[in-house]
Amino acid sequence: MFLAVPPPPVAVVIDRDDDVLHTRTALAAHHPPSGRITLHPCPGTTSETGLAHDLLVALGKPPLLPGRFPGGRQPAWEAATAWMTALPVTRLTVLRAHRLTARRTMRLLQLQARTGIHLTLVCHRPHLPAALHQALRTADYSVTADIEAARRHYYGTPTAEPPLADEPAAPANRWLTLPALDRLVSYDSPRPCAAPCMPPPIVWRHRPPPVPLTAHTAQKVAHRLHAATAHPRLAAAVAAALFTGASLQQLVTVRPHDYDTAAATLALHDRARYADGCAAYPVPPWASVFLRAAACFTRLVSGEDQELLVAPGDRGHLLRVAETARLRPPQPPAARRKGPAGRVEWDWRERQEADRYEVMPASRVRPSRR
């Protein structure tokens, strides 16, 4: 999964005297909403995974991905690649590049080849160390020691559009109560379609459509999800639940080809018609970044035949992501709570419906004709 067009040449900045001006200038350029990331690798680490974790933190995300993975290896580089592709990030500046091993540098070059970012490596030494020189032998790169040229690499060409406003990195303490999450924990059990399926646009027959989020609420939800998890699929699953009102079981039916980026639709499958059958749902703009990241991540990790959003065993992880982002469905009154105060009750609506069917009024019971 590499770009058809070669990425721009790598820029190597020589900070001969380890001047603090270079470091301050590079750190000041860090502004993810404008597409600029400055990575200051954690000192004392040499692992490739550790560098990926540093990159996820620079993107404003927790460094660890929840869940189990084949071979026990966290797909941290795949997650970082997916987020940098979807956000999108256009510039990555890496400080202390003279400390990078050849394998860590190769990881950064692979990241650039997959995303097309402008990669700048800042070497705080008079000359390139052997490991960095070895890794760059196969790359197209340029070297500069001029601070103004370095600044242009850090910032890029100024755009006409004003940068997006900064938002707090951590989720707010107050809960957002969202009725669209009422069915996330549901008793229905749709299954994916075995044969090719081209679902029509959703027609809401058996349940009302979820109320679209206001622009302000959508912005808050997006920022909370970005800060709550580094896992693209889990973040996309929560986002999809909010604009489809779907259950976890129905979200499991989605495959990568069910997300149509050109039409901005997401197809969910429901052969047994537990809800409204197989249907394509319009994707609101605020949610598209999460689905793009999930699609990229899934293709990097497992391919087209795997779930795009969640697997059947991801229920606990999915609910924890939503709770970390302080997102929940409407809660029961205090007198009707089943669990301790403060714990989110995800199945309250389902329990209400089950209770209504279990206790039928005597006036609705038809007498026998025998």
Side-chain angles (χ1 to χ4, degrees):
M1 186 176 172
F2 290 87
L3 298 175
V5 179
V10 177
V12 178
V13 174
I14 298 295
D15 176 15
R16 186 181 305 275
D17 300 314
D18 197 5
D19 190 343
V20 69
L21 179 62
H22 272 280
T23 301
R24 286 179 176 174
T25 304
L27 291 175
H30 177 80
H31 192 241
S34 298
R36 301 190 304 267
I37 299 294
T38 299
L39 173 61
H40 199 171
C42 183
T45 62
T46 59
S47 74
E48 299 167 58
T49 302
L51 185 61
H53 289 164
D54 290 341
L55 184 53
L56 289 171
V57 172
L59 290 166
K61 302 187 175 300
L64 301 180
L65 277 70
R68 293 183 177 181
F69 302 100
R73 185 188 71 85
Q74 270 203 1
W77 279 105
E78 291 83 350
T81 302
W83 287 117
M84 294 186 75
T85 301
L87 285 173
V89 173
T90 57
R91 293 187 173 271
L92 173 62
T93 298
V94 182
L95 292 168
R96 304 290 156 189
H98 60 278
R99 293 180 177 172
L100 294 175
T101 63
R103 292 180 64 87
R104 280 182 145 199
T105 306
M106 289 303 300
R107 279 288 195 177
L108 291 171
L109 295 177
Q110 291 171 2
L111 176 70
Q112 184 198 30
R114 285 174 169 153
T115 61
I117 57 170
H118 293 262
L119 176 62
T120 301
L121 304 176
V122 185
C123 179
H124 305 269
R125 291 292 185 273
H127 306 287
L128 291 182
L132 189 57
H133 186 270
Q134 176 187 354
L136 289 173
R137 282 188 303 178
T138 59
D140 183 12
Y141 70 97
S142 62
V143 180
T144 183
D146 180 68
I147 183 61
E148 291 306 319
R151 191 191 306 273
R152 288 193 292 272
H153 288 304
Y154 304 154
Y155 282 89
T157 303
T159 59
E161 298 179 5
L164 300 176
D166 282 321
E167 291 288 334
N173 289 328
R174 294 186 61 182
W175 287 96
L176 282 179
T177 300
L178 304 167
L181 295 176
D182 258 337
R183 291 189 65 253
L184 187 58
V185 175
S186 176
Y187 301 149
D188 62 18
S189 55
R191 297 185 179 183
C193 294
C197 177
M198 299 293 290
I202 178 65
V203 177
W204 303 92
R205 296 189 180 94
H206 304 298
R207 56 193 172 103
V211 177
L213 302 182
T214 64
H216 180 64
T217 301
Q219 184 184 39
K220 287 200 293 185
V221 166
H223 283 292
R224 289 184 181 203
L225 282 179
H226 276 302
T229 184
H231 202 308
R233 291 172 57 191
L234 294 178
V238 176
L242 289 172
F243 67 81
T244 64
S247 65
L248 169 66
Q249 288 88 338
Q250 196 172 16
L251 295 176
V252 170
T253 68
V254 183
R255 299 294 183 266
H257 61 264
D258 290 318
Y259 174 46
D260 188 333
T261 54
T265 59
L266 181 70
L268 275 63
H269 301 276
D270 178 23
R271 289 184 300 165
R273 291 188 172 272
Y274 282 95
D276 286 295
C278 300
Y281 298 74
V283 178
W286 69 266
S288 61
V289 62
F290 298 104
L291 291 174
R292 289 198 303 270
C296 179
F297 179 77
T298 302
R299 292 187 178 105
L300 288 171
V301 172
S302 52
E304 290 284 346
D305 295 332
Q306 296 300 312
E307 296 89 353
L308 174 65
L309 302 176
V310 281
D314 285 336
R315 170 178 162 147
H317 299 305
L318 181 65
L319 298 186
R320 276 193 290 274
V321 166
E323 291 181 16
T324 301
R326 308 293 281 180
L327 308 176
R328 66 181 182 183
Q331 296 295 287
R336 300 188 61 182
R337 293 190 63 88
K338 298 290 185 180
R343 191 178 75 181
V344 177
E345 295 196 16
W346 288 94
D347 62 345
W348 179 52
R349 189 196 69 86
E350 293 291 324
R351 293 203 316 265
Q352 277 189 310
E353 291 188 358
D355 291 344
R356 283 199 296 267
Y357 284 111
E358 187 176 332
V359 182
M360 296 288 290
S363 58
R364 296 182 60 184
V365 178
R366 295 183 179 179
S368 172
R369 293 188 177 183
R370 290 189 298 174

